[in-house]
Amino acid sequence: MTTQLEALITQISKIPDSEFAEYRGGWPDQIGTALVDAVFSIRAKYDAKNEALGVLGRTRTLIKAHPEVADDLQALVDLGAGEIESFMTSAVSSGRRKSACVVEAAQNLLDLTPQVRTASDITEGVEDLDARVRDVRRAYRRVHGLGGVTAEYFTMLLGIPGVKPDRMILEFVNRSLRTAGLKRVDTARARALVEEAFEAIGRGDSLTHFDHAIWRTKGELVPTD
């Protein structure tokens, strides 16, 4: 009988090699930019031909207008939710304005010991990076309206390899399983299967590139010729 991992690998093998080089690299030196991107990506259109209609375009516009917040969470807090909202819209998550979530998450990170103010504060001089990343994700998740999926996405944008098990990743995994007559899995198992598949076949420069290639399928399987 086909295993879950085998079923997933079969479908991933159909994704063109070019897709595994499409990851744009995130914001490894810009913690403020990464935080805005992560929060506003929740249930939103990320890319758009009209940059004013997509999260990525709006984020770039915000940072161009306020370059001081790109890698300074204190500057982001000082900028305030109202100014962030003027660039990023008044979108909400769990009934809360995303702009307010950004400011609260930034303050939570500033309140960590040692403090996280810039991207380098997460990695430089840290003896246990895994523990540090867990603390950062935990501080992010303490904000009502934010959760584990975008907490991981936030650190991925900062250059820490991971899997963002959102709707499109979960759907791709479960469609792969369904083609082999296997049952659906939850988010945690889907994430684990993607990690296992990367370890098994290693396409792309990193786990993040691998995740992004799957994400770009928008949950759809690649048709068989």
Side-chain angles (χ1 to χ4, degrees):
M1 180 179 177
T2 302
T3 68
Q4 291 177 331
L5 180 58
E6 289 168 342
L8 180 58
I9 288 174
T10 294
Q11 298 304 323
I12 292 174
S13 68
K14 299 176 184 178
I15 300 175
D17 289 339
S18 59
E19 296 294 335
F20 292 86
E22 285 294 328
Y23 181 60
R24 288 168 287 204
W27 314 101
D29 302 315
Q30 298 185 31
I31 195 169
T33 311
L35 182 57
V36 171
D37 185 320
V39 173
F40 277 88
S41 73
I42 299 170
R43 294 183 300 279
K45 185 175 182 60
Y46 190 74
D47 278 318
K49 290 182 179 179
N50 180 346
E51 288 203 344
L53 302 179
V55 172
L56 179 59
R58 291 187 184 120
T59 301
R60 287 172 171 165
T61 302
L62 168 64
I63 300 306
K64 184 177 181 179
H66 294 285
E68 73 279 5
V69 309
D71 193 37
D72 187 339
L73 292 182
Q74 186 60 61
L76 190 61
V77 170
D78 294 343
L79 185 64
E83 184 66 3
I84 294 169
E85 188 172 302
S86 71
F87 288 88
M88 301 301 300
T89 79
S90 58
V92 300
S93 178
S94 296
R96 291 196 67 201
R97 294 284 178 92
K98 291 180 181 179
S99 55
C101 292
V102 166
V103 172
E104 185 178 342
Q107 188 61 59
N108 285 353
L109 291 164
L110 289 165
D111 290 342
L112 287 176
T113 304
Q115 184 185 72
V116 172
R117 181 168 178 166
T118 69
S120 63
D121 290 332
I122 296 178
T123 56
E124 291 186 6
V126 176
E127 294 183 2
D128 188 339
L129 179 59
D130 288 342
R132 184 64 158 164
V133 170
R134 285 195 297 272
D135 287 344
V136 166
R137 291 174 181 165
R138 191 177 299 116
Y140 179 100
R141 293 196 311 270
R142 283 205 306 271
V143 179
H144 176 71
L146 306 183
V149 171
T150 52
E152 181 144 8
Y153 178 52
F154 171 51
T155 55
M156 288 167 65
L157 288 171
L158 290 169
I160 297 164
V163 174
K164 180 190 177 190
D166 64 3
R167 178 187 60 80
M168 288 183 281
I169 297 291
L170 183 62
E171 190 59 29
F172 183 91
V173 170
N174 279 316
R175 287 184 176 182
S176 299
L177 298 181
R178 188 165 64 243
T179 63
L182 300 173
K183 294 182 179 178
R184 292 181 63 87
V185 295
D186 61 14
T187 298
R189 180 56 183 156
R191 182 190 190 284
L193 281 169
V194 171
E195 290 181 334
E196 291 171 20
F198 176 71
E199 289 296 322
I201 61 178
R203 297 179 74 189
D205 289 345
S206 71
L207 177 58
T208 302
H209 288 76
F210 193 74
D211 164 272
H212 192 68
I214 299 172
W215 178 83
R216 282 174 58 83
T217 70
K218 296 180 170 44
E220 300 289 338
L221 301 185
V222 178
T224 303
D225 292 338

